[in-house]
Amino acid sequence: MGGRTDPLHGHPVHGAGLGLRRAFAAAAAEQPPAEVDFWEIAPENWIGVGGRWGRLLRGLTERFPFVCHGLSLSIGSPAPLDLDFVRKIKDFLDEHRIRAYTEHLSFCSDDGHLYDLMPIPFTDEAVAHVVRRIRHVQDILERRIALENVSYYAAPGQRLSELEFIDAVLREADCDLLLDVNNIHVNSINHGYDANAFLDGLPGERVLYGHIAGHDEEAPDLRVDTHGADVIEPVWGLLERAYRRFGVFPTLLERDFNIPPLEQLTQEVRRISALQAEHRPRNANARRGRLAYA
Ligand SMILES: [Fe+2]
């Protein structure tokens, strides 16, 4: 089964990335920022899109590495999987030579806002249900997928800890982890746990790539994962801790609201690269250089 394709690090892309949004897609296509090593898109926003936007995407996917982060697979939902939709995803991934497909370890509410993703009950039955569905999706896509640790605002019917739940799903489905450090921070405040301990408990060997983002502070004990603000220092600290603990992995910035000009976003992308350079073993840089000129 396809999946990790970078022979050096076992990752499908490398470096620092940015979630592509329509607000700056034309600017990115006209003058691609040198800071961005790879891009991420939600396939739902681009499948079946032709005309000017379709050409713009084609031009970018032909030139740069892309990964896909889906919004509506609803992997935890009790409703049947939408197999036609999964087949459309496969065609899209193949057509644009997308390096990886990831989704949320949750299911969508009707209006599908990122911060309205519903939690899956942390139970053994839910693990078995989600694992069956992930395997089915991986079979259709003919690739491993990665699932993201999500932010959630209620955890009904909890029997397992969140860490036990994530670990069981990834292990039994044999899929990878999209590690979102902002979600860990948001959950740690909303649910009163230790973000460092949570991070340390994740199966680091399964991290395919990472997300970093900003969020909104509604109250001292309530954060909302809007991706509508700059990344805050404690979240940068978590990313640094993750690199120290698990080694450097490709990481991208997500921004969905209050989107500033591209030049401002690329400053945060540059900070990801700087952290990666700081934590990458020196011989890995040397090897990467040799490979680049081979
Ligand atoms: Fe994320």
Side-chain angles (χ1 to χ4, degrees), residues 69 148 180 183 211 227 254:
H69 185 46
E148 179 182 34
D180 188 314
N183 291 347
H211 274 172
H227 304 166
E254 299 183 283

Side-chain angles (χ1 to χ4, degrees), residues 172-187:
E172 290 176 31
D174 194 19
C175 66
D176 292 318
L177 174 65
L178 164 53
L179 173 56
D180 188 314
V181 286
N182 177 57
N183 291 347
I184 295 177
H185 179 79
V186 165
N187 287 341

Side-chain angles (χ1 to χ4, degrees), residues 4 13 17 22 31-32 48 73 126 142 164 168 173 181 187 189 214 220 232 255-256 258 264 268 270:
R4 300 179 171 197
V13 286
R22 295 230 178 159
Q31 209 163 30
L73 183 64
E142 298 178 37
E164 288 169 331
V181 286
N187 287 341
I189 289 176
I232 61 169
R255 185 73 182 245
D256 289 287
N258 302 321
Q264 198 177 318
E268 288 188 306
R270 212 176 296 144

Side-chain angles (χ1 to χ4, degrees), residues 13-18 33-39 64-65 269 273 276:
V13 286
H14 70 84
L18 179 61
E35 293 87 350
V36 179
D37 298 310
F38 68 99
W39 297 93
F64 303 104
V269 176
S273 299
Q276 291 175 330

Side-chain angles (χ1 to χ4, degrees), residues 57-272:
L57 180 67
R58 165 70 63 197
L60 283 169
T61 58
E62 279 174 352
R63 282 186 290 166
F64 303 104
F66 268 70
V67 293
C68 269
H69 185 46
L71 295 171
S72 57
L73 183 64
S74 288
I75 202 71
S77 166
L81 272 174
D82 183 346
L83 300 182
D84 281 345
F85 168 72
V86 180
R87 288 185 200 103
K88 276 188 195 144
I89 295 276
K90 179 181 185 331
D91 290 344
F92 183 80
L93 300 178
D94 289 345
E95 196 188 320
H96 289 279
R97 301 219 208 143
I98 305 287
R99 306 281 187 95
Y101 174 66
T102 66
E103 253 287 355
H104 303 84
L105 190 45
S106 62
F107 59 94
C108 267
S109 61
D110 288 343
D111 54 3
H113 283 298
L114 283 174
Y115 46 85
D116 283 339
L117 293 165
M118 301 294 285
I120 303 168
F122 301 149
T123 64
D124 290 325
E125 297 74 30
V127 170
H129 174 70
V130 174
V131 164
R132 258 195 316 275
R133 289 160 68 92
I134 295 171
R135 287 183 175 276
H136 196 170
V137 170
Q138 292 189 137
D139 283 348
I140 295 174
L141 296 181
E142 298 178 37
R143 304 165 164 79
R144 287 167 74 99
I145 66 172
L147 290 167
E148 179 182 34
N149 59 296
V150 295
S151 51
Y152 57 91
Y153 302 91
Q158 188 165 345
R159 288 270 184 68
L160 305 170
S161 71
E162 186 186 353
L163 275 177
E164 288 169 331
F165 178 78
I166 292 174
D167 194 59
V169 167
L170 300 182
R171 194 166 19 84
E172 290 176 31
D174 194 19
C175 66
D176 292 318
L177 174 65
L178 164 53
L179 173 56
D180 188 314
V181 286
N182 177 57
N183 291 347
I184 295 177
H185 179 79
V186 165
N187 287 341
S188 76
I189 289 176
N190 293 343
H191 303 293
Y193 62 65
D194 180 335
N196 288 339
F198 185 90
L199 175 74
D200 293 353
L202 285 169
E205 72 285 359
R206 289 190 184 268
V207 176
L208 193 67
Y209 67 90
H211 274 172
I212 193 163
H215 60 262
D216 283 0
E217 184 175 341
E218 295 287 317
D221 60 350
L222 178 61
R223 304 298 159 102
V224 182
D225 181 28
T226 52
H227 304 166
D230 291 351
V231 179
I232 61 169
E233 288 307 316
V235 174
W236 285 114
L238 274 180
L239 184 62
E240 184 163 14
R241 186 181 181 91
Y243 288 165
R244 265 205 313 272
R245 189 162 178 91
F246 305 140
V248 169
F249 48 83
T251 306
L252 75 93
L253 175 71
E254 299 183 283
R255 185 73 182 245
D256 289 287
F257 295 101
N258 302 321
I259 298 179
L262 191 52
E263 311 82 70
Q264 198 177 318
L265 285 179
T266 52
Q267 286 172 22
E268 288 188 306
V269 176
R270 212 176 296 144
R271 186 159 172 188
I272 297 172

